[in-house]
């Protein structure tokens, strides 16, 4: 059974994340899009809000489920018996960072394999960080997030 985890903060999910999952669907029997919560990080949106958006966005994709974990991603993959991790690469700094994490995860995750997807040019400029900055500034992010993600100021955590 090929099971993969796509971990991230998804604060909020963007069209770039959605594109990566859609491209990974034909490769895996099961994909868990997992919110990794780090107690030392602060988030713009609550876990409940982020989870609710993910559930709506992937409602029509039967092989995709939503997960949540705290702590090490490699440990979470081991707990749910996922042998693969999915990551997206937008640029050279993503590559430098992800390369090291992937090498470490292969050791601590006991052969956990990271599968990388190069961002399509039309999504490579999108990041949750940029989306959050636009939201904080009161701008419209509807072209950067999936249509189900409706943002109003009440939703911020
Ligand atoms: P983190 O909180 O760990 O930075 P994110 O939630 O921002 O993670 O992203 C999760 C994964 O999605 C990462 O592998 C990141 O590189 C990838 N990703 C984010 N935005 C895009 C995009 N526009 N195109 C392709 N991959 C992306």
């Amino acid at each position: 059974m090929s099971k993969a985890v796509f971990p991230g903060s998804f604060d909020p999910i963007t069209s770039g994340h959605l594109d990566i999952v859609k491209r990974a669907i034909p490769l895996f029997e099961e994909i868990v899009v997992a919110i990794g919560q780090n107690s030392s990080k602060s988030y713009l949106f609550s876990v409940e809000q982020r989870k609710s958006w993910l559930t709506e966005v992937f409602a029509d994709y039967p092989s995709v489920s939503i997960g949540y974990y705290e702590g090490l991603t490699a440990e979470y993959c081991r707990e749910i018996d996922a042998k693969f991790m999915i990551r997206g690469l937008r640029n050279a700094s993503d590559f430098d960072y992800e390369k090291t994490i992937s090498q470490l995860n292969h050791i601590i995750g006991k052969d956990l394999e990271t599968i990388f997807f190069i961002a399509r040019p039309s999504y490579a400029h999108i990041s949750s960080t940029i989306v959050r900055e636009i939201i904080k500034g009161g701008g419209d992010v509807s072209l950067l997030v999936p249509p189900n993600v409706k943002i109003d100021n009440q939703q911020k955590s």
Side-chain angles (χ1 to χ4, degrees):
M1 175 82 179
S2 64
K3 190 182 205 179
V5 170
F6 182 44
S9 308
F10 304 108
D11 187 29
I13 179 171
T14 69
S15 305
H17 295 131
L18 175 58
D19 186 60
I20 297 295
V21 177
K22 280 185 182 167
R23 289 166 59 196
I25 284 174
L27 301 180
F28 300 100
E29 286 168 271
E30 204 182 328
I31 296 174
V32 182
V33 178
I35 299 175
Q37 190 80 346
N38 183 337
S39 53
S40 61
K41 242 172 126 175
S42 60
Y43 299 91
L44 185 60
F45 296 103
S46 67
V47 175
E48 293 71 29
Q49 178 60 77
R50 286 180 274 151
K51 211 182 222 175
S52 145
W53 277 327
L54 290 176
T55 305
E56 272 188 56
V57 168
F58 294 108
D60 294 334
Y61 300 92
S63 63
V64 180
S65 59
I66 311 308
Y68 171 86
Y69 67 96
E70 292 170 23
L72 292 178
T73 310
E75 180 58 23
Y76 175 69
C77 292
R78 194 193 57 75
E79 274 167 26
I80 65 166
D81 198 27
K83 304 271 188 284
F84 301 94
M85 186 155 112
I86 297 165
R87 299 295 282 171
L89 298 176
R90 287 161 290 195
N91 48 42
S93 34
D94 271 0
F95 174 77
D96 278 345
Y97 175 76
E98 298 285 350
K99 179 182 68 174
T100 311
I101 300 286
S102 154
Q103 288 162 342
L104 285 169
N105 277 336
H106 192 250
I107 299 167
I108 60 168
K110 308 228 179 343
D111 293 341
L112 177 65
E113 281 293 353
T114 309
I115 310 295
F116 293 104
F117 288 82
I118 304 287
R120 298 272 188 241
S122 46
Y123 298 108
H125 59 289
I126 305 176
S127 70
S128 293
T129 310
I130 294 290
V131 168
R132 285 195 299 276
E133 288 310 310
I134 297 172
I135 293 168
K136 285 182 202 163
D140 175 15
V141 294
S142 55
L143 293 176
L144 307 175
V145 298
N148 322 54
V149 179
K150 304 262 186 280
I151 290 164
D152 67 52
N153 283 340
Q154 311 309 316
Q155 288 163 320
K156 293 183 217 165
S157 63

